[in-house]
Amino acid sequence: HVADGQLAADASFILDGEISVIALMIDRLDACLASQGAATAAAVVAEVARAVRTTAATVDVIAAAYGGGVMVLIAPGMGYGAALALAEALRASVAAAGIPNPESIAADHVTASVAVVTGAASSSSDRSRILKAAIASVSKVAPADGNRVVLAFV
């Protein structure tokens, strides 16, 4: 994806240290789009983005929309414990927003699956491997029943 390169470029200032990437995927957004239309799906994305911004506002992250209902947060210096807590808070804030979604499997409202990938980054490392691992992880868990957080290390 073009976004892979853009996010990697946005994170290029990160020098040595731990980094966490948190990828949030809106569960069943494709089904919502198919049954409710583009305007409704876009409204869902906007509401979820608002919940993500509000929840992530208290920590130092680089946030970006990735496309297809995926939002990515890059957290330089954040270890897996803090990243996992943030991921759970993000998942809970999306659920608490109560955005109606008749296509949801996990609930009668919009839910999200969140993947956390933590690894070491350095000025000479390929930071995009952490980003790609987060996107791959959330893509695997979301199509199931969704509404959960997964953790991986690179």
Side-chain angles (χ1 to χ4, degrees):
H1 288 92
V2 172
D4 288 341
Q6 183 58 49
L7 283 171
D10 289 346
S12 64
F13 70 89
I14 300 166
L15 298 175
D16 297 332
E18 194 166 34
I19 181 171
S20 290
V21 175
I22 300 142
L24 178 142
M25 178 178 278
I26 301 169
D27 295 328
R28 311 259 311 143
L29 184 63
D30 55 344
C32 176
L33 174 64
S35 70
Q36 306 294 315
T40 298
V44 166
V45 171
E47 286 296 317
V48 170
R50 192 170 296 119
V52 168
R53 278 194 307 275
T54 300
T55 304
T58 60
V59 295
D60 188 21
V61 296
I62 302 165
Y66 187 80
V70 176
M71 296 166 199
V72 176
L73 293 87
I74 300 172
M78 184 179 285
Y80 71 89
L84 191 58
L86 176 58
E88 184 54 40
L90 291 167
R91 188 205 59 74
S93 72
V94 170
I99 307 161
N101 183 5
E103 302 301 329
S104 179
I105 294 172
D108 63 351
H109 53 78
V110 172
T111 60
S113 295
V114 188
V116 176
V117 177
T118 299
S122 70
S123 55
S124 63
S125 70
D126 176 14
R127 293 177 196 92
S128 66
R129 70 185 161 76
I130 299 170
L131 170 66
K132 290 174 184 172
I135 298 296
S137 294
V138 77
S139 297
K140 288 178 188 170
V141 71
D145 56 356
N147 198 31
R148 58 179 140 159
V149 174
V150 295
L151 177 64
F153 298 92
V154 226

